[in-house]
């Protein structure tokens, strides 16, 4: 789908909501900020943000040009690290939504 409001490199994305156990907020924040280096290694991940939504709620938004890039990210090191530590650090399983980007300003 061609959309003049969205750069080719950011057509589709993922939006994840992550709820930390209150006693592990710092560890979840460190896991997410540390994941930036891994996101930089992913050729198919063109945009990546780690977010704080509330004192214990975090989020990740990332964008991709292709479905292959999105799938590679879902099967990559960031997802593996998050799922490895989820039972200890998270109050519930992460909520991960696939999204279509409708409009974007990147610079």
């Amino acid at each position: 789908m061609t959309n003049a409001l969205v750069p080719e490199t950011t057509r589709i994305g993922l939006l994840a909501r992550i709820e930390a156990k209150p006693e592990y907020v710092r560890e979840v924040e460190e896991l997410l900020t540390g994941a930036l280096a891994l996101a930089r290694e992913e050729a198919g991940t063109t945009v990546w943000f780690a977010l704080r939504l509330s004192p214990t709620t975090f989020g990740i938004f990332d964008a991709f040009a292709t479905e292959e890039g999105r799938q590679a990210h879902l099967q990559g090191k960031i997802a593996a690290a998050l799922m490895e530590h989820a039972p200890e650090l998270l109050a519930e399983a992460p909520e991960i939504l696939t999204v279509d980007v409708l409009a974007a300003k990147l610079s």
Side-chain angles (χ1 to χ4, degrees):
M1 174 176 79
T2 301
N3 179 345
L5 301 176
V6 181
E8 290 289 329
T9 58
T10 59
R11 297 280 181 202
I12 58 176
L14 293 168
L15 181 62
R17 185 186 157 281
I18 301 161
E19 186 66 33
K21 292 178 181 176
E23 65 272 26
Y24 289 111
V25 166
R26 185 175 52 82
E27 289 84 351
V28 171
E29 182 177 343
E30 290 171 358
L31 178 68
L32 293 176
T33 57
L36 177 59
L38 298 174
R40 287 180 172 153
E41 293 175 5
E42 296 179 349
T45 302
T46 58
V47 173
W48 189 88
F49 292 95
L51 314 164
R52 180 187 300 275
L53 304 173
S54 78
T56 59
T57 307
F58 296 87
I60 298 173
F61 172 75
D62 29 35
F64 315 89
T66 66
E67 183 61 33
E68 291 80 13
R70 179 161 57 187
Q71 291 304 314
H73 178 73
L74 285 169
Q75 297 168 14
K77 293 178 183 178
I78 296 171
L82 184 59
M83 298 317 291
E84 176 185 344
H85 297 288
E88 176 187 1
L89 303 180
L90 304 185
E92 58 194 46
E95 178 184 14
I96 301 172
L97 305 171
T98 58
V99 299
D100 293 325
V101 178
L102 300 178
K105 179 189 181 300
L106 299 176
S107 59

